[in-house]
Amino acid sequence: MSDLVVIDVGGTSIKHGVLHDDQLVSQGSVPTPKDLAGYYAALTAIVQQAKADYAPVGVGISSP
């Protein structure tokens, strides 16, 4: 039993979720920031929230 944070970066939104035993147990979306600092802040917030709610063992990121 392990949790994995999954993140899909798109031009208009960053979709994210948590997989637990191959089941999506959490999901959400935030607007894609326009600058690098905002991008880092958004990714950090997504991962920190997942760590608060679950016990992720890794993060998978998909981006163009």
Side-chain angles (χ1 to χ4, degrees), residues 47-62:
V47 173
Q48 291 299 327
Q49 184 61 54
K51 287 172 67 176
D53 296 339
Y54 302 94
V57 296
V59 178
I61 299 177
S62 169

Side-chain angles (χ1 to χ4, degrees), residues 6 14-19 24-30 46 54:
V6 292
I14 299 174
K15 296 175 182 70
H16 56 90
V18 175
L19 289 175
L24 187 63
V25 295
S26 172
Q27 63 183 346
S29 179
V30 297
I46 290 167
Y54 302 94

